Amino acid sequence: INAQCLKIIESGMGAMLCIGESLEEFEQDLAGSVCAVQLKKGLKGVSKEDLEKVAIAYEPVWAIGTGKVATPEIAQDVHAKCRAIIADMYDEEAADSVRILYGGSVTPESVDDLMSQPDIDGALVGGASLDSAKFSRIINFQM
């Protein structure tokens, strides 16, 4: 993943670094730890200057395409941990400016609460983007 991320940046494109835990890891309360390892490995060798070309998406594997969504509190907790890791790897300025999206079965019903969280910068929408009414509601979320 890291090599692909670096190659994309080197090619002048933007990269989407997706991180997330399995259901088993989630049930063992390992979401933060698993995502921390994935984030550190994924960003290895990415300079602070190139970090602006990277968006991070927290996509719990157990939520992708299942209709299950992390609670806003769970998503916020993981996003805040990611931001803290980025501050440790780079600095506070980088942590504040990096875009961290949530991407696990975002729906019209879940988007408002997710987007009200301080460390969730956007949504990576999958299946709901195929339905224009659902997608319209998601992109016009209410905080």
Side-chain angles (χ1 to χ4, degrees):
I1 302 291
N2 176 254
Q4 293 172 346
C5 191
L6 292 171
K7 187 69 171 171
I8 288 168
I9 293 167
E10 180 185 307
S11 298
M13 295 183 282
M16 176 72 68
L17 176 60
C18 298
I19 60 173
E21 76 285 356
S22 68
L23 180 59
E24 183 178 326
E25 292 163 335
F26 174 74
E27 289 172 344
Q28 293 176 16
D29 198 27
L30 296 173
S33 300
V34 168
C35 291
V37 169
Q38 293 173 349
L39 186 60
K40 288 175 185 177
K41 286 183 175 182
L43 292 176
K44 185 177 180 184
V46 175
S47 70
K48 180 182 174 184
E49 293 74 29
D50 284 338
L51 189 60
E52 70 182 25
K53 299 174 187 164
V54 179
I56 298 159
Y58 168 52
E59 288 194 285
V61 176
W62 53 267
I64 299 171
T66 65
K68 295 178 183 177
V69 181
T71 65
E73 295 77 19
I74 291 168
Q76 168 57 28
D77 183 60
V78 174
H79 283 234
K81 286 177 180 168
C82 290
R83 222 171 278 286
I85 290 165
I86 292 165
D88 287 342
M89 291 177 72
Y90 300 96
D91 59 26
E92 288 294 330
E93 179 185 35
D96 290 341
S97 64
V98 71
R99 291 160 296 155
I100 308 176
L101 314 178
Y102 176 78
S105 294
V106 177
T107 65
E109 295 76 28
S110 66
V111 69
D112 295 342
D113 289 336
L114 287 166
M115 293 306 299
S116 71
Q117 302 303 308
D119 289 300
I120 298 178
D121 299 319
L124 183 61
V125 183
S129 67
L130 301 175
D131 180 313
S132 61
K134 288 181 180 180
F135 191 57
S136 177
R137 171 64 183 87
I138 290 168
I139 62 173
N140 291 296
F141 66 90
Q142 305 293 314
M143 288 185 39

